[in-house]
Amino acid sequence: MTEPTPSSSPAPSAPAARTSILVVNGPNLNLLGTREPEKYGTATLGDIERLCAGAADAHGLECDFVQSNHEGALVDAIHEARHSAIGIVINAGAYTHTSVAIRDAISAVTLPAVEVHITNVHAREPFRHHSYLSDVCRAVIAGAGTLGYRFAIEYLAELTRERVL
């Protein structure tokens, strides 16, 4: 009986720890700061990205950002997140109320997701009261202004901490 010889190839390394949160912004959110400031405030998308990055950094995490006015680009970004992210923060804008494709993408990647709306969609037009995303998201934050993004990051960071403990 011969002894097995050690392999000359290096031992497989452990998968890299996931340390990012994908922050998804849908149609028209690129116009924040100038679009209906009486509803959405004067913060720009860049301001929101800095807010998210700071909140993530406080927990040793990073953010990856995507904004698109095109549904398929958002679906593609969500699919890619399954390889690197611990969770998703999503403000799908109008796609919240229309997109089964984005809903299915969130469901398919099995990452915890938080739906965010700057305004209180339930105090607005009736068509905004229904979300295709809410039932596949772990939490929904609406009406907290841009702070909703920070709350979502903190929630995902806490979920990650609980999974580690």
Side-chain angles (χ1 to χ4, degrees):
M1 179 185 237
T2 61
E3 294 290 319
T5 58
S7 170
S8 61
S9 61
S13 59
R18 295 179 183 202
T19 60
S20 69
I21 294 172
L22 176 64
V23 180
V24 177
N25 282 287
N28 301 309
L29 291 163
N30 57 306
L31 300 177
L32 285 173
T34 59
R35 175 186 177 216
E36 301 178 84
E38 67 282 359
K39 285 184 185 157
Y40 299 104
T42 57
T44 66
L45 187 57
D47 294 332
I48 290 171
E49 290 177 355
R50 285 185 288 281
L51 173 77
C52 290
D57 186 59
H59 295 281
L61 300 168
E62 299 173 352
C63 290
D64 294 319
F65 301 98
V66 63
Q67 185 283 322
S68 183
N69 297 318
H70 305 282
E71 184 177 32
L74 300 176
V75 169
D76 289 343
I78 292 165
H79 288 177
E80 284 300 310
R82 77 186 187 278
H83 300 298
S84 59
I86 61 154
I88 299 169
V89 173
I90 183 164
N91 182 343
Y95 288 138
T96 301
H97 320 292
T98 64
S99 182
V100 174
I102 292 174
R103 177 202 188 282
D104 288 350
I106 292 169
S107 183
V109 299
T110 65
L111 292 170
V114 180
E115 178 182 349
V116 173
H117 300 283
I118 294 169
T119 65
N120 180 354
V121 292
H122 303 290
R124 295 188 58 192
E125 305 91 338
F127 71 86
R128 295 187 195 276
H129 298 180
H130 179 265
S131 167
Y132 280 99
L133 311 181
S134 294
D135 71 324
V136 294
C137 288
R138 293 282 298 262
V140 178
I141 302 168
T146 58
L147 287 177
Y149 288 87
R150 188 183 85 203
F151 299 154
I153 300 275
E154 291 176 358
Y155 175 76
L156 290 172
E158 183 64 23
L159 284 180
T160 301
R161 190 182 76 73
E162 288 175 2
R163 278 188 269 161
V164 170
L165 297 178

